[in-house]
Structures are given as C-alpha cells and as structure tokens.
Amino acid sequence: MLSTQASVSGEVARLRSSAMASQKKLQGLVAATVTPLTSDGLEHVIIHVGALSLPESKELARHAAEIGASGISAIAPFFFKPTNKGALVAFLREVASEAPHIPFYYYHIPPLTGVKICIEDLLDGIKKQIPTFQGVKYSDTDLLDFAQCMDKYNKEQFLLLYGVDEQLLSALAVGATGAVGSTYNYLGQANNMMFQAYANQDFALARKYQFCIGEFLSFVFKLGFGVAQTKAIMTSLSGIPMGPPRLPLMSASEEFITKAKAKLDSLPFLTTYPAK
C-alpha cells in the first residue's frame, strides 16, 4: 500500500514538474499598462460580475469590492432564466449584497440573455430591495420602455445609459444623457459630435451624424458583425493588434476588414474623426 502511494505521489510530482517546465516563460518586453486618468485623478472602473451561477457572481462581486472597484454590474443569468421581476430582483440582490459599499448596475441586454423583464417595472421599488442600486445599462431597442424609465425615474437619479449604438439619437430625444457601446471605440468622436449638435439644438446636424453612423453599422451588420469584427476594425484603425476573439467566436475575415474599412473611408462624417 505504501509502495503504491509513493508511486502515485512520484507520478504527481513528475506531472507537476513537467507542467511547470512547459509553461511559457516571460521574456523580452512586458508593457505595464498605462491607466488613463482625468486631470483630477478620478479614475472610474465598473467591473462586470454577472455569471450563470449565483455563487460565481457573488464571488466575483466580493473580489471587485476587495480590489477597490468603483462599482459592479451584472447581466441576468441566461441558462436558467428568471421569469419574473421577483426572481430577477432576488438574484441581483444576492449579488449586490456581496459588495455593500459600492454602486450596483443592472446590465439589461435581452437580445443575448433572453430575459425581457420590463425595466420600468424592475425599477419600481428596487432601492428598497437593493440599497446600492444605481442604474441600468439599457441595451434593448424598446424605446417606449426606456422613455418611460427616463420620465418616471429621472427624479430618483437612476443612471440610465443607453446601449444600442445605432439608436443613440432616438435615446437622446427621450432624455438619455449617456451611453455605453462597443462602436464608440472607433466612432466615439463622431458620436460626441452628435451629442454636441443635439445639445446645441442643431437637430439637422445631429441627424446627419446618426444617419452616417447608421449607414456604416447597417452595412457591417449585413456582412456579419460582432465582437470579432469589432476587434478587427479596431486593429485596422488604430494599428494596435487587438488579437483574436475567444472560441466559439471566429476571427473576422480579410474580406470583412477590407469592405468595412472601405465603407468607413467613404463616409466623411466618420473619417473626419478617426481613432488613432
């Protein structure tokens, strides 16, 4: 028996040694990432802690709080989905309770989660259930629901950030003051110009920007557009390699990259403000 245990222990030690030896060694230049800060030093990092399981989400929330995150955010679980407001609030409350001293935001993205619970209903009384609740990233095309949220809950100062890039101007029209979106990595300046035109009540100019942005997005949607394609466009425009997506997503084709870049170059309202 002792001989067998010694043999097993020896094999485990050999495998560990082999695994350590096969690990890639750090060599050459390793860039310490520069943290962007505002002029007064107030960096702002919100960590997403959503997961399919409640224990995993709670663990991520605890970790985020421990490392000093500015806030946490979570999508709804999307395998076993909450089917009503009560179930969703119960899940979010458990997650938020693990980080009781930092703001909590709900990431509403029904096209991916399949959880279509009305946000107007969700916000009703949610502060009593989740004291740290601060707002929603609203990534859905239901502008009626979004508008009702803006009208009903603006006085409570919930932060309602719109997340459908191609409909941003419509969201501004019903009261949005902020947005979160992947295309702002390379269309951020054009969207900021649209924000500015809208604020100046130059609605014709704001529409020009939105139509131009929409024309590009409509074009790439037809080619097949997602995370992989966003990374490819960012690489092409910035010259900084963004790397491939993780499986099961597949890398963007060279044909997509060529066509998307040509379309951007053909739209002066976008190419005037490229990401460099």
Side-chain angles (χ1 to χ4, degrees):
M1 183 67 172
L2 291 174
S3 176
T4 301
Q5 287 179 337
S7 176
V8 170
S9 297
E11 179 64 12
V12 169
R14 186 190 68 78
L15 290 173
R16 285 177 176 170
S17 176
S18 175
M20 289 294 291
S22 65
Q23 288 180 356
K24 186 175 181 179
K25 295 180 179 179
L26 286 175
Q27 55 187 345
L29 300 178
V30 179
T33 305
V34 175
T35 302
L37 300 175
T38 58
S39 59
D40 58 4
L42 299 172
E43 71 274 22
H44 195 62
V45 178
I46 298 174
I47 298 177
H48 181 261
V49 300
L52 293 182
S53 84
L54 178 58
E56 185 176 351
S57 282
K58 293 172 72 171
E59 181 182 353
L60 291 170
R62 285 195 299 272
H63 177 259
E66 288 168 1
I67 64 175
S70 307
I72 58 173
S73 174
I75 58 171
F78 52 85
F79 189 83
F80 293 112
K81 301 178 179 65
T83 57
N84 55 59
K85 172 186 172 178
L88 178 56
V89 170
F91 178 88
L92 298 178
R93 182 176 62 239
E94 287 291 310
V95 176
S97 68
E98 298 296 323
H101 304 298
I102 60 177
F104 176 81
Y105 302 88
Y106 174 52
Y107 185 178
H108 179 60
I109 185 165
L112 294 184
T113 64
V115 177
K116 301 179 180 180
I117 294 166
C118 179
I119 297 301
E120 182 190 8
D121 293 338
L122 179 72
L123 295 180
D124 185 18
I126 198 167
K127 272 284 193 178
K128 294 179 182 177
Q129 298 280 340
I130 308 174
T132 57
F133 188 92
Q134 293 294 309
V136 178
K137 179 189 174 184
Y138 194 100
S139 294
D140 191 21
T141 57
D142 187 349
L143 283 167
L144 174 59
D145 182 31
F146 183 77
Q148 289 173 317
C149 292
M150 291 299 305
D151 179 54
K152 189 173 181 179
Y153 296 106
N154 189 39
K155 292 180 182 179
E156 296 185 30
Q157 297 183 331
F158 284 136
L159 181 63
L160 299 169
L161 298 170
Y162 198 64
V164 183
D165 303 9
E166 61 272 25
Q167 292 189 349
L168 177 55
L169 183 57
S170 298
L172 295 180
V174 296
T177 58
V180 179
S182 60
T183 68
Y184 305 145
N185 284 286
Y186 51 90
L187 297 178
Q189 287 176 300
N191 278 277
N192 274 327
M193 296 301 291
M194 182 174 69
F195 256 102
Q196 183 177 330
Y198 185 84
N200 293 336
Q201 298 187 20
D202 189 344
F203 303 128
L205 180 59
R207 285 195 298 270
K208 285 183 180 179
Y209 277 108
Q210 183 68 90
F211 292 158
C212 202
I213 292 165
E215 183 178 344
F216 172 73
L217 293 178
S218 177
F219 178 81
V220 293
F221 287 159
K222 292 173 184 176
L223 295 177
F225 187 68
V227 173
Q229 290 70 27
T230 295
K231 296 186 81 172
I233 293 173
M234 279 296 297
T235 297
S236 176
L237 292 180
S238 69
I240 302 172
M242 298 293 161
R246 286 196 177 121
L247 291 172
L249 302 180
M250 303 298 290
S251 295
S253 66
E254 288 299 323
E255 179 184 13
F256 171 86
I257 297 169
T258 300
K259 288 183 176 180
K261 184 64 168 58
K263 186 64 175 177
L264 272 175
D265 290 341
S266 73
L267 297 170
F269 268 62
L270 303 188
T271 55
T272 303
Y273 308 97
K276 293 294 185 183

